[in-house]
Amino acid sequence: MKEKIYLSSPHMGGSEQTYVNEAFETNWIAPLGPNVEQFEIAIENYLGSNNHVAALSSGTAAIHLALIMLGVERDDEVICQSFTFSASANPIMYQSATPIFVDSEPDTWNICPHHLEEAIKDRISNGKKPKAIIAVHLYGMPYKVDEVRKISEKYEIPVVEDSAEALGSSYKGQKCGTFGDLSILSFNGNKIITTSGGGALVSRNLKHKEKAIFLATQARDAAVHYQHSEIGYNYRLSNISAGIGRGQMEVLDKHVGLRRDMNQFYKDIFQNTAGVQVFNEPNADYFSNHWLSCILVDRKTSGFSNEDIRLAMAENNIECRPLWKPMHLQPVFKNAPYYGDKVSEQLFEIGLCLPSGSNLQNEEKVKINDILIHLIEK
Ligand SMILES: *Cc1c(COP(=O)(O)O)cnc(C)c1O
């Protein structure tokens, strides 16, 4: 069997192992220790402008804590971008709250400001003001930050910025992960950097970081004995994982550059192909890490479909994947209210994610190129 080419696979920089070994040598084999602190500092320095970071066991845990910290409780309503990975929405259910899904706009594929405001107005007129807005920088592309913030301020509803896919992206020169009332990052195995599994909650407010760590470590009151006045969680990041994260932060910008090169690679391949559009920044305000490179295929014009590409690649042991299936189309969320206009449905229908890793070798790119050119010329 030929070596498989993945959509996005872990890419170590070199010093990860050193930090992990340090954890062993000093016996910090626990969900606390020097690597956790140093990893947090590295992210804080990277994001700049006074951000505070709590390293957690996953991005999903970070979203869950963000909702708890915003006071989301049973039967509350939380607005969530429909076009996303299920992890954006699942924590709403953990709180027994109701997700209200909102469609995307075609420029960034992220939450549509128009439908967002429509949803808010309608929910308020139904008697319930949503407790939070979960906006996502999908595939690393910043959402319409200014427009979403304006609506959030107008209706006084806080934003949870899901930046799980967008570490290294920026909007008007400011880093993604710094725009929400609370923001989250993910370091899962397939993300732009990995700790094998992990996430973080980011805030401009130091108290938020302290509260997140308190909740993530079983909510222990300040007492010698174990005393609890709140329900806690076991959501802190391990010192071993954080060692991997420290090494990954050293190569983050280099890897963002390589992902962006992959995007250019696909733009070059498809530059003269009518009917195939490589997803790109709408204008210079947006800087995407291009975590995954995606295309839209209009089969009537191109003569082949997104599924034709996926199958041709799969035959050669190369992984491609459909775009995220919108949450309002998921069986598990079939009863959730939805506001939109079929934009995300259409994207799901004709889109495809292509191999995008920062570690793809030249011979692998040649292979991908040959298969795509063959399809184009057929
Ligand atoms: C990966 C991801 C998450 C969840 O992060 P985990 O660390 O895997 O729990 C949340 N939202 C989006 C958009 C993601 O891609």
Side-chain angles (χ1 to χ4, degrees), residues 57-63 84-89 136-139 162-165 184-191 197-199 291 324:
S57 54
S58 73
T60 311
I63 297 172
T84 186
F85 176 48
S86 64
S88 303
V136 188
H137 307 296
L138 213 62
Y139 302 116
D162 182 344
S163 196
E165 301 178 359
I184 75 98
L185 302 169
S186 167
F187 318 116
N188 208 332
N190 60 356
K191 297 288 156 75
W291 170 58
W324 298 122

Side-chain angles (χ1 to χ4, degrees), residues 156-200:
E156 299 183 317
I157 303 173
V159 173
V160 175
E161 177 195 11
D162 182 344
S163 196
E165 301 178 359
L167 182 59
S169 299
S170 54
Y171 174 78
K172 294 186 174 172
Q174 187 181 333
K175 291 264 179 357
C176 288
T178 68
F179 292 114
D181 292 86
L182 292 170
S183 307
I184 75 98
L185 302 169
S186 167
F187 318 116
N188 208 332
N190 60 356
K191 297 288 156 75
I192 190 91
I193 66 164
T194 182
T195 59
S196 74

Side-chain angles (χ1 to χ4, degrees), residues 361-378:
Q361 301 300 302
N362 256 336
E363 59 269 31
E364 296 177 311
K365 290 196 204 176
V366 168
K367 215 170 128 184
I368 292 168
N369 178 75
D370 290 351
I371 295 165
L372 292 174
I373 296 293
H374 182 75
L375 236 141
I376 292 167
E377 289 174 350
K378 208 157 75 176

Side-chain angles (χ1 to χ4, degrees), residues 220-290:
R220 271 188 72 189
D221 294 343
V224 183
H225 57 276
Y226 277 73
Q227 173 153 313
H228 308 273
S229 320
E230 270 183 79
I231 293 297
Y233 299 84
N234 183 4
Y235 278 172
R236 197 67 163 127
L237 185 68
S238 134
N239 194 57
I240 306 281
S241 302
I244 305 173
R246 280 181 80 181
Q248 289 273 276
M249 284 306 291
E250 293 170 6
V251 291
L252 170 57
D253 276 336
K254 186 173 143 221
H255 289 190
V256 169
L258 290 164
R259 297 252 178 184
R260 289 178 57 84
D261 290 348
M262 284 309 297
N263 191 258
Q264 187 59 47
F265 167 75
Y266 290 115
K267 277 198 279 194
D268 292 343
I269 291 176
F270 290 113
Q271 63 177 336
N272 297 316
T273 311
V276 178
Q277 187 194 328
V278 179
F279 184 40
N280 232 285
E281 290 99 336
N283 62 53
D285 287 345
Y286 297 81
F287 179 89
S288 172
N289 64 11
H290 287 303

Side-chain angles (χ1 to χ4, degrees), residues 60-124:
T60 311
I63 297 172
H64 189 197
L65 291 187
L67 296 182
I68 292 169
M69 288 163 64
L70 293 174
V72 173
E73 292 175 355
R74 179 174 295 276
D75 297 332
D76 281 340
E77 296 190 345
V78 175
I79 291 182
C80 183
Q81 182 168 321
S82 181
F83 192 47
T84 186
F85 176 48
S86 64
S88 303
N90 284 338
I92 303 170
M93 307 301 283
Y94 303 166
Q95 289 304 98
S96 302
T98 305
I100 310 292
F101 291 116
V102 170
D103 202 4
S104 295
E105 39 76 17
D107 297 337
T108 74
W109 297 4
N110 294 312
I111 196 162
C112 169
H114 166 73
H115 289 297
L116 171 60
E117 185 158 20
E118 179 197 355
I120 292 171
K121 282 184 181 162
D122 193 52
R123 301 323 293 177
I124 290 174

